[in-house]
């Protein structure tokens, strides 16, 4: 946790081996060998602005072959923590339109920011949703798995058309 005070703060944090194991389980990773962040927290009138860089070394499972897919993340991020965010959202009726700037807004509660959880959520947002090993398509073909074009609904029509031309 970081308690807001006066003036900006620079912080460097790193997950312990136990925290990395728990996060790997939480996010379905095979391994999380490194998770660090360099952070800059600036108090603002309505809350705080947190910017930084997340650095991680991890291993995911290939969605096609279940082989290990190692990845290195080095990503900048910015999150704005706003006082009373929940109250202002519930005051409005109907749908709420969010701009790109609003997408990284989080409520500021009790003048504290959980830096570790913010970094963990940033990690989750930057994971590859469909990790694949190099050559996954070739490996699948060797295993007899058809590509989308070969197995799709138009593949049968293409076969009929080609078959008609040969008669």
């Amino acid at each position: 946790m970081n308690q807001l005070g006066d003036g900006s703060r620079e912080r460097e944090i790193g997950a312990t081996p136990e925290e990395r194991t728990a996060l790997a389980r939480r996010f379905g990773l095979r391994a999380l060998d490194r998770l660090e962040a360099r952070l800059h927290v600036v108090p603002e009138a309505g809350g705080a602005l947190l910017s930084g860089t997340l650095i991680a070394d991890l291993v995911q499972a290939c969605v096609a072959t279940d082989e290990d897919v190692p990845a290195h993340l080095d990503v900048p991020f910015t999150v704005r923590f706003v006082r009373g965010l929940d109250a202002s959202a519930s005051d409005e009726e109907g749908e709420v339109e969010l701009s790109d700037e609003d997408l990284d807004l989080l409520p500021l509660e009790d003048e504290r920011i959980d830096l570790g959880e913010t970094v963990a959520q940033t990690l989750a947002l930057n994971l590859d949703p469909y990790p694949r090993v190099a050559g996954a398509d070739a490996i699948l073909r060797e295993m007899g798995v058809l590509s989308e074009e070969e197995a799709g609904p138009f593949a049968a029509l293409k076969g009929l058309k080609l078959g008609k031309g040969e008669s």
Side-chain angles (χ1 to χ4, degrees):
M1 290 275 195
N2 183 38
Q3 201 161 11
L4 289 181
D6 295 332
S8 64
R9 296 180 185 192
E10 301 290 329
R11 296 283 309 267
E12 288 190 24
I13 63 173
T16 66
E18 294 80 17
E19 291 168 333
R20 291 194 315 266
T21 298
L23 288 169
R25 207 170 326 149
R26 176 177 168 186
F27 299 131
L29 304 174
R30 294 235 167 116
L32 181 56
D33 299 320
R34 176 183 182 196
L35 178 59
E36 300 170 359
R38 290 184 299 275
L39 307 166
H40 183 74
V41 182
V42 180
E44 297 180 326
L49 182 67
L50 171 67
S51 58
T53 302
L54 172 136
I55 300 166
D57 292 314
L58 56 101
V59 179
Q60 293 179 274
C62 175
V63 295
T65 65
D66 199 41
E67 294 180 39
D68 287 353
V69 181
H72 173 77
L73 299 177
D74 189 339
V75 292
F77 66 96
T78 303
V79 179
R80 177 165 275 126
F81 290 87
V82 180
R83 288 181 188 95
L85 182 64
D86 291 333
S88 65
S90 63
D91 289 344
E92 297 184 32
E93 294 181 19
E95 290 186 27
V96 176
E97 294 284 331
L98 295 176
S99 70
D100 288 342
E101 293 173 3
D102 294 331
L103 295 180
D104 293 328
L105 292 178
L106 292 174
L108 178 62
E109 299 170 1
D110 301 325
E111 298 300 306
R112 293 176 183 261
I113 296 172
D114 188 338
L115 296 177
E117 181 59 23
T118 303
V119 169
Q121 290 179 18
T122 301
L123 170 67
L125 291 171
N126 284 281
L127 292 174
D128 185 344
Y130 303 104
R132 291 175 67 102
V133 294
D137 291 335
I139 294 168
L140 290 173
R141 268 193 298 285
E142 288 175 18
M143 295 169 57
V145 177
L146 300 176
S147 69
E148 280 188 46
E149 294 82 28
E150 296 167 330
F154 297 107
L157 294 175
K158 184 177 179 183
L160 289 174
K161 182 178 178 183
L162 292 176
K164 280 186 178 179
E166 295 173 359
S167 309

